[in-house]
Amino acid sequence: MSEATGVTAAQGFRAAGIAAGIKKSGRADLALVVNDGPRTEAAGVVTRNKVKAAPVLWTQQVLTSGALRAVVLNSGGANACTGPEGFRTAHATAEKVAEVLGCGAVEVGVCSTGLIGEQLPRDTVLAGVEKAAAELAATPEAGTAVATAIMTTDTVPKQAHVTDPAGWTVGGTTKGAGMIAPSMATMLTVLTTDAVVERPLLDAALREAVRYSFDRLDIDGSMSTNDTVLVLASGATGVPADPAVFTAALTRVCRNLAEQMQADAEGVTKRITVRVTGAASEDDAVTIARTVARDSLVKTAMFGSDPNWGRIAAAAGYADAQLDPERLDVTINGVLLCRGAVVAGDRADCDLSGPDITIEVELGLSGGADGNTAEIRTTDLSHAYVEENSAYSS
Amino acid sequence: MSEATGVTAAQGFRAAGIAAGIKKSGRADLALVVNDGPRTEAAGVVTRNKVKAAPVLWTQQVLTSGALRAVVLNSGGANACTGPEGFRTAHATAEKVAEVLGCGAVEVGVCSTGLIGEQLPRDTVLAGVEKAAAELAATPEAGTAVATAIMTTDTVPKQAHVTDPAGWTVGGTTKGAGMIAPSMATMLTVLTTDAVVERPLLDAALREAVRYSFDRLDIDGSMSTNDTVLVLASGATGVPADPAVFTAALTRVCRNLAEQMQADAEGVTKRITVRVTGAASEDDAVTIARTVARDSLVKTAMFGSDPNWGRIAAAAGYADAQLDPERLDVTINGVLLCRGAVVAGDRADCDLSGPDITIEVELGLSGGADGNTAEIRTTDLSHAYVEENSAYSS
């Protein structure tokens, strides 16, 4: 696993990230990722929010063909809640990409991120596409330029790749820092691979990878209008990927990207992992872990480095899942503080001063090989989170 | 509606609130409310949290008889996650009240609030009961002493009463400021009435009143281990209550108390009402209103006086309820900002500088006499909330 290169780590891809002038700050705000083939399989997962941004509606349509030649992404505006006019902008952007690449607009995915409810400056975006097309390159620098151009409140570009001994590579980049959850959120991710991957495998592998990475990251329980994860396969190595190996590699890259998002979440001072074991089902494990991870009182306690296991037990208790208080154990950073929903260890033994906190909730309803477990990653609720999300519109 | 008198507004009740020494600060921490009859009908609603505090388990048991002579309440400790030892403390407290009043322990409700996971000092509590019993009085001051003794992070005592032209009164007191929702939370409420009310009516009226008051208040989505609402009917006026009129009166008192809780919630700088109209069902209206009220990004925007309707539309869109974006309108403080999920008015026209904010979400899926609506009250997410909940254990 390397974090040096992202979408251009795999062969067959060129990329560019430029400043189109969408952001008033003059920072990079438009990116283009092009699949030069020879193959063009693609798959995607988009937000389950019923209010979907125009680029999401566009990308959902073009994904039905199962093939993409390019993805164009912008920061500086979500193009969400912008009506027919916003959809025309997304469409025009895809047409412009198709024109400069000599392909069809239906082969172009579109992703946007930024403030909801404002029209994108269409001419600025279209001029940006031409500028980006002129700078396309297969270099690591070009991949980093993509990672940089899609940043909003992110403080660092995020990318990762793995190369399999068989010779193929999976790479990717992501952005997202605030509106993360219940299953991804303004979160845009582009993944690339030069393995030969048939569409059904690509689709299945992506769903599995997302399920155990972005879907298990829950910063504030909000789900955005724009979340999109796309994977493009060029087949440039000519090496067919083994399904299980490919799925594992894609999952590793997605988990690494999700960890980078967690570390860079808005206002984070603690990286928290909530691990639930012994649940009645895997769904119950996810539900309880997510409820604890989302609880404002748990999150503020963690910000205060306070091993307040009572709030954790209370949050587990109101989750919509099976729970028997007499079997409920809570462990924080390795110290068993609550056994059978009763005080066990000494809070003073539990040091939460560092940046990493692991909360373990054992439910005692399953175990051994049949144990149902889940992990959700989240962050604390800090003054900086409040500041960042109240001081300006985003 | 008056907020001057609470549990002693109705005839047939005596009360006391004293400093038993449970709180290290020396503040008032134990209260007793006694029903002198001639009748003793009672009903209650307790937390749906699966992790229930010892006093909740006790009170659930004694409520099955449908009659209570007294309620004893303490702050300074929740007696939750305290195992069999904690249950023995709750039982012993009821026994002590029964002894000083000359009734049975099964006629005594017990409520506690404070930190989860620590044993209450049993002898201190029992001595406090004797002290409180010696101070029982039917005066308004005694009611206020109860309201004061149950405070935790509350900054003001909360009480209300209404007197019906027929001659009977409903009064009550509540505490609760932090852990409020999804349906009440560390929230203790005692209601009293001197009307003649049969048990089935008392029970039905309480459920209806709670549904439209405490259940519609959602400060941070957390649900406590200790929430309890009790109503005691003395029948001292000898006047039978009309079912509809009594239910309305009880609801009015509960709504007034809920509004006092909202105004005094931890770290509140804005009182927010989320009103959803035109939903496919009343349940959907509640679900969407609750999702918007709970969204951290909406709450921080409100703290920043930012009319960020895009976050409201996004929150409505991920709620588990029917929604058609093309019919979604969002109005904040009377200014229509979003029509059909598209930008409508000008944010600049929307002044959120004051302490009260009304968010209206019109779904366009029902209307007129068949319109399904719901209101949820909440607060902003402020620096003070983070401070109060991270700086000390509670």
Side-chain angles (χ1 to χ4, degrees):
Chain A
M1 177 73 61
S2 165
E3 297 173 9
T5 315
V7 291
T8 52
Q11 297 173 46
F13 293 92
R14 286 177 299 150
I18 56 113
I22 307 166
K23 285 181 180 168
K24 292 189 180 71
S25 66
R27 290 193 185 163
D29 51 19
L30 191 136
L32 194 55
V33 179
V34 176
N35 179 0
D36 288 321
R39 303 176 63 116
T40 58
E41 281 88 353
V45 175
V46 302
T47 182
R48 291 196 303 268
N49 200 310
K50 290 171 211 73
V51 179
K52 290 180 171 62
V56 171
L57 296 172
W58 171 264
T59 300
Q60 270 190 310
Q61 280 188 13
V62 301
L63 273 174
T64 56
S65 72
L68 287 180
R69 279 290 310 279
V71 181
V72 57
L73 312 95
N74 75 274
S75 54
N79 196 3
C81 296
T82 48
E85 182 65 16
F87 190 81
R88 280 193 287 273
T89 298
H91 184 182
T93 307
E95 289 283 3
K96 173 58 78 176
V97 172
E99 178 195 321
V100 298
L101 297 180
C103 67
V106 296
E107 296 174 282
V108 180
V110 182
C111 302
S112 300
T113 179
L115 185 65
I116 297 170
E118 292 192 354
Q119 297 291 343
L120 281 177
R122 192 184 299 167
D123 293 344
T124 306
V125 172
L126 300 187
V129 169
E130 292 198 351
K131 184 176 172 189
E135 296 190 14
L136 285 167
T139 59
E141 291 73 24
T144 302
V146 171
T148 305
I150 61 177
M151 287 164 58
T152 51
T153 55
D154 306 66
T155 65
V156 290
K158 301 172 182 71
Q159 42 190 356
H161 75 273
V162 290
T163 298
D164 188 77
W168 49 261
T169 292
V170 174
T173 186
T174 197
K175 65 78 49 178
M179 210 178 197
I180 297 176
S183 44
M184 326 179 300
T186 293
M187 201 207 113
L188 304 179
T189 303
V190 180
L191 301 154
T192 57
T193 182
D194 47 21
V196 174
V197 194
E198 300 295 337
R199 178 79 204 306
L201 169 57
L202 196 62
D203 192 70
L206 182 65
R207 282 167 206 288
E208 175 87 357
V210 167
R211 182 176 178 198
Y212 290 103
S213 57
F214 306 119
D215 270 356
R216 298 286 167 95
L217 179 67
D218 194 319
I219 301 303
D220 53 21
S222 301
M223 186 199 284
S224 112
T225 50
N226 287 59
D227 303 327
T228 307
V229 182
L230 297 173
V231 57
L232 283 63
S234 70
T237 58
V239 180
D242 172 80
V245 175
F246 179 75
T247 302
L250 196 65
T251 303
R252 279 186 65 201
V253 170
C254 289
R255 285 181 66 99
N256 183 285
L257 292 173
E259 284 167 24
Q260 293 184 52
M261 290 163 78
Q262 178 192 30
D264 195 29
E266 285 172 359
V268 60
T269 76
K270 307 281 187 185
R271 294 182 296 260
I272 303 167
T273 301
V274 181
R275 183 180 301 134
V276 171
T277 53
S281 67
E282 187 185 341
D283 282 352
D284 271 12
V286 172
T287 298
I288 290 175
R290 202 182 285 289
T291 304
V292 172
R294 244 178 227 186
D295 187 88
S296 294
L297 292 167
V298 171
K299 290 162 85 82
T300 46
M302 296 302 112
F303 171 58
S305 300
D306 172 15
N308 196 323
W309 61 267
R311 292 182 181 179
I312 296 166
Y318 73 75
D320 184 19
Q322 203 178 318
L323 182 144
D324 176 356
E326 298 192 359
R327 300 180 186 199
L328 173 66
D329 300 343
V330 178
T331 301
I332 309 180
N333 278 5
V335 181
L336 179 71
L337 294 172
C338 159
R339 187 168 196 99
V342 178
V343 55
D346 187 345
R347 284 165 197 254
D349 295 339
C350 192
D351 178 12
L352 304 188
S353 58
D356 288 293
I357 296 177
T358 302
I359 295 172
E360 293 172 272
V361 177
E362 164 64 43
L363 297 167
L365 301 175
S366 66
D370 298 325
N372 293 301
T373 70
E375 263 186 30
I376 296 281
R377 290 167 175 274
T378 189
T379 58
D380 57 339
L381 177 51
S382 66
H383 283 302
Y385 177 89
V386 173
E387 188 62 27
E388 189 148 0
N389 286 297
S390 63
Y392 73 104
S393 273
S394 65
Chain B
M1 176 74 61
S2 166
E3 297 172 9
T5 315
V7 293
T8 51
Q11 297 173 47
F13 293 92
R14 286 176 299 149
I18 57 113
I22 306 166
K23 285 181 180 167
K24 290 189 181 71
S25 66
R27 291 194 187 164
D29 51 17
L30 192 136
L32 194 54
V33 179
V34 176
N35 179 359
D36 288 321
R39 304 175 64 114
T40 58
E41 281 89 352
V45 175
V46 301
T47 183
R48 291 195 305 268
N49 200 310
K50 290 170 212 74
V51 179
K52 290 180 170 63
V56 172
L57 296 171
W58 171 264
T59 301
Q60 270 190 310
Q61 280 187 15
V62 300
L63 272 174
T64 56
S65 72
L68 287 181
R69 279 289 311 278
V71 182
V72 56
L73 311 95
N74 76 274
S75 54
N79 195 5
C81 295
T82 46
E85 183 66 17
F87 190 81
R88 279 193 288 271
T89 298
H91 184 183
T93 307
E95 290 282 3
K96 171 59 76 176
V97 172
E99 177 194 320
V100 297
L101 295 181
C103 65
V106 296
E107 296 175 280
V108 180
V110 182
C111 303
S112 300
T113 180
L115 185 65
I116 298 171
E118 292 191 354
Q119 297 290 343
L120 281 177
R122 191 183 301 165
D123 293 343
T124 305
V125 172
L126 300 187
V129 169
E130 293 198 349
K131 185 175 170 190
E135 297 189 15
L136 285 168
T139 59
E141 291 72 23
T144 302
V146 171
T148 304
I150 61 177
M151 287 163 59
T152 52
T153 56
D154 306 65
T155 64
V156 289
K158 301 172 182 70
Q159 44 189 355
H161 75 273
V162 289
T163 297
D164 188 76
W168 49 261
T169 291
V170 174
T173 186
T174 196
K175 65 79 47 179
M179 209 178 196
I180 297 175
S183 45
M184 324 178 301
T186 296
M187 204 208 111
L188 304 179
T189 303
V190 180
L191 302 154
T192 56
T193 183
D194 47 20
V196 174
V197 194
E198 299 296 336
R199 179 78 204 306
L201 168 58
L202 197 62
D203 193 68
L206 182 65
R207 281 167 208 288
E208 176 87 356
V210 167
R211 183 176 178 197
Y212 290 102
S213 57
F214 305 119
D215 269 355
R216 298 286 167 97
L217 179 67
D218 193 319
I219 301 303
D220 54 19
S222 299
M223 187 201 282
S224 114
T225 50
N226 287 59
D227 302 328
T228 307
V229 182
L230 297 174
V231 57
L232 283 63
S234 69
T237 58
V239 180
D242 171 81
V245 175
F246 180 74
T247 302
L250 196 65
T251 303
R252 279 186 67 202
V253 170
C254 288
R255 284 181 66 99
N256 183 285
L257 292 173
E259 284 167 27
Q260 293 184 52
M261 290 163 78
Q262 177 193 30
D264 195 30
E266 284 173 359
V268 62
T269 77
K270 307 281 187 186
R271 295 182 294 259
I272 303 166
T273 301
V274 181
R275 182 179 304 134
V276 172
T277 52
S281 67
E282 186 184 343
D283 281 353
D284 272 12
V286 172
T287 298
I288 291 176
R290 200 182 285 289
T291 304
V292 172
R294 241 177 230 188
D295 187 88
S296 294
L297 292 167
V298 171
K299 291 162 85 84
T300 45
M302 296 302 111
F303 170 57
S305 300
D306 172 14
N308 196 324
W309 61 267
R311 292 181 180 177
I312 295 166
Y318 74 74
D320 185 17
Q322 203 177 319
L323 181 144
D324 176 356
E326 297 192 359
R327 299 181 187 199
L328 174 66
D329 300 343
V330 178
T331 300
I332 310 180
N333 277 7
V335 181
L336 178 72
L337 294 172
C338 160
R339 188 169 193 99
V342 177
V343 54
D346 187 345
R347 285 166 196 254
D349 296 338
C350 192
D351 179 12
L352 304 188
S353 58
D356 287 294
I357 297 176
T358 302
I359 295 172
E360 293 172 273
V361 178
E362 164 63 43
L363 297 167
L365 301 175
S366 66
D370 299 325
N372 293 299
T373 70
E375 264 186 27
I376 296 281
R377 290 168 175 274
T378 188
T379 57
D380 57 340
L381 177 52
S382 66
H383 283 302
Y385 178 90
V386 173
E387 188 62 29
E388 190 148 358
N389 286 296
S390 63
Y392 74 103
S393 272
S394 64

